Amino acid sequence: MATEGPATRRVQVAEHPRLLLKLKEMFKSKFASIPKFYVRAPGRVNIIGEHIDYCGYSVLPMAVEQDMLIAVEPVKTHTLQLANTNPLYPDFSTSANNVQIDKTKLLWHNYFLCGFKGIQEHFGLNNLPGMNCLVDGTIPPSSGLSSSSALVCCAGLVTLTVLGMQLSKVELAEICTKSERYIGTEGGGMDQSISFLAEEGTAKLIEFGPLRATDVKLPSGAVFVIANSCVEMNKAATSHFNIRVMECRLAAKLLAKYKSLQWDTVLQLEEVQAKLGVSLEEMLLVTEDGLHPEPYTPEEICRNLGISLEELRTQILSPNTQDVLIFKLYQRAKHVYSEAARVLQFKKICEEAPDNTVQLLGELMNQSHASCRDMYECSCPELDQLVDICRKFGAQGSRLTGAGWGGCTVSIVPADELSNFLANVHEAYYQKSDRSSVLEKQSLFATKPGGGALVFLEA
């Protein structure tokens, strides 16, 4: 249940060799001591519902088996010592009572610090214990499978466990969503929510305001396959993501003003629909009437809202979007309202399970990709090529997943065609390029819904 906290499980070496052999041994050589406990938080694949969580709309992800694991030893000093099994990520240490997150520098440990600081601030604590932590991740970085949020969630649960405090999964998800913004990413909460609320064997419809998760049973005759484009995209490293968040915020305000609503308090496109009390299909018509397809300049937005450029910059835009010269409000709103409708249709088809379920779900995924590519402009040539290859070799539907601009695709493939599909896509996308040097395991794999964040103790 979402009201409960994450589970604690006792495991033996034979059950979890990565945890109790690799991680424990590396911890011993690093810190000359033994971990007291371990925490796991999974990555996720979003099946449908891209870039709409921060607009207030439901999304449909599932957790994947790839995850973040942290081995932890609380210590009496007030020092946080962080290390990573991957030599690309250098060690870091800081005072537990003076955590500083420099969002101008993209450093791996900042994501840990986000989770740590989120818990610290939630409880209003000043005198925190120190800890030695060794992090091991199997989620490919910057792949759209939520490696960064999994680390934030893992760190939040580590900190909660060290403190001996209790929080529900929902509370943890909300704290970690908020705290990831310390790094400068204006995300909506899907990644953190599924990391805590996931359950084995089922995808989840994640709804916001209030946060809740509903099981969505995926069709048994199909497999979801993740393919990595091998183009890395870090949300915090560019302003693409935050510009889209602001375009949606501005579209919501202009639509609210157009419909004579109190626009200044509106932040999300969902609020406009809720205040008007109309369907998503009707919101697409409101968008057609209320916004124009040509890009908006900051000056035109100010004229529409009756505010100054200074007010736009300081009161509405985020710091890294204050110098943007054009905003595509019509296109972004059209994507959000149509994508929100596709999520609900996807869930309905899964529930009703008609004979052509896989085909219908595939069509929705294809429509989603077209909208992400054309209206939201968050695809890239490699993703488009990979989607085309996946469809050519048997996927009923294929789309980018995650923020986009790189990262992964997710495809729905009939189960009996899986082995041919994997072989053909591997040859067409990975072998016919220099991409075959990328770790095979991380490039192309079938996945099924996994469980959420856990605390492990050695049995």
Side-chain angles (χ1 to χ4, degrees), residues 257-384:
K257 180 91 188 286
Y258 169 68
K259 297 302 281 184
S260 304
L261 301 171
Q262 190 179 342
W263 63 267
D264 52 339
T265 57
V266 168
L267 294 174
Q268 297 180 321
L269 285 162
E270 187 277 334
E271 292 174 69
V272 184
Q273 184 197 358
K275 287 176 192 294
L276 292 176
V278 301
S279 69
L280 286 162
E281 290 70 26
E282 286 171 289
M283 282 312 303
L284 287 166
L285 299 175
V286 171
T287 303
E288 294 274 354
D289 295 338
L291 299 173
H292 56 66
E294 298 76 32
Y296 286 74
T297 62
E299 290 76 12
E300 184 181 1
I301 290 165
C302 289
R303 282 197 304 274
N304 263 282
L305 297 178
I307 59 173
S308 68
L309 272 172
E310 182 62 16
E311 286 171 312
L312 174 68
R313 287 200 179 103
T314 58
Q315 293 175 24
I316 299 176
L317 298 178
S318 61
N320 65 349
T321 61
Q322 289 174 0
D323 299 321
V324 176
L325 299 176
I326 60 162
F327 297 95
K328 294 187 177 181
L329 308 188
Y330 169 90
Q331 290 84 350
R332 310 317 183 216
K334 289 270 284 191
H335 166 75
V336 169
Y337 289 129
S338 65
E339 185 79 347
R342 282 187 285 273
V343 170
L344 300 180
Q345 289 167 336
F346 195 101
K347 177 177 182 274
K348 188 165 181 273
I349 292 164
C350 286
E351 287 168 348
E352 293 174 355
D355 290 344
N356 60 342
T357 290
V358 177
Q359 180 198 332
L360 294 174
L361 297 181
E363 286 169 7
L364 289 172
M365 291 171 71
N366 290 339
Q367 290 165 20
S368 172
H369 184 77
S371 184
C372 285
R373 181 190 64 214
D374 302 334
M375 303 306 279
Y376 222 72
E377 296 177 284
C378 61
S379 190
C380 67
E382 293 86 352
L383 281 171
D384 294 338

Side-chain angles (χ1 to χ4, degrees), residues 84-273:
N84 200 302
T85 59
N86 186 331
L88 291 174
Y89 303 122
D91 294 359
F92 175 78
S93 72
T94 188
S95 164
N97 295 315
N98 185 30
V99 167
Q100 305 289 324
I101 299 170
D102 182 355
K103 62 174 74 169
T104 64
K105 294 194 175 84
L106 281 175
L107 301 164
W108 75 273
H109 60 254
N110 279 343
Y111 292 100
F112 184 101
L113 297 180
C114 283
F116 179 87
K117 191 170 175 167
I119 297 297
Q120 177 192 6
E121 293 194 346
H122 177 79
F123 288 110
L125 300 172
N126 295 319
N127 200 23
L128 277 94
M131 55 180 108
N132 295 333
C133 295
L134 178 62
V135 177
D136 183 58
T138 55
I139 311 166
S142 304
S143 64
L145 300 179
S146 201
S147 56
S148 52
S149 296
L151 181 50
V152 174
C153 292
C154 218
L157 184 51
V158 162
T159 309
L160 188 75
T161 308
V162 167
L163 293 171
M165 303 283 206
Q166 298 290 316
L167 286 171
S168 72
K169 296 174 189 177
V170 165
E171 289 169 317
L172 272 163
E174 289 175 335
I175 290 165
C176 290
T177 298
K178 197 170 140 192
S179 67
E180 193 165 331
R181 292 174 190 151
Y182 295 136
I183 210 107
T185 305
E186 300 280 337
M190 165 177 60
D191 303 350
Q192 300 82 0
S193 301
I194 192 65
S195 198
F196 285 113
L197 299 172
E199 290 180 72
E200 225 162 285
T202 181
K204 294 281 185 179
L205 181 80
I206 306 278
E207 300 171 87
F208 302 95
L211 175 60
R212 57 211 184 278
T214 310
D215 290 358
V216 177
K217 190 176 185 313
L218 299 172
S220 56
V223 179
F224 288 88
V225 177
I226 295 170
N228 193 341
S229 71
C230 305
V231 176
E232 291 197 355
M233 160 55 187
N234 185 310
K235 282 191 293 199
T238 69
S239 57
H240 293 315
F241 183 87
N242 283 350
I243 289 170
R244 294 299 182 278
V245 178
M246 292 305 132
E247 286 175 319
C248 291
R249 183 175 295 179
L250 291 168
K253 289 181 181 295
L254 263 67
L255 287 173
K257 180 91 188 286
Y258 169 68
K259 297 302 281 184
S260 304
L261 301 171
Q262 190 179 342
W263 63 267
D264 52 339
T265 57
V266 168
L267 294 174
Q268 297 180 321
L269 285 162
E270 187 277 334
E271 292 174 69
V272 184
Q273 184 197 358

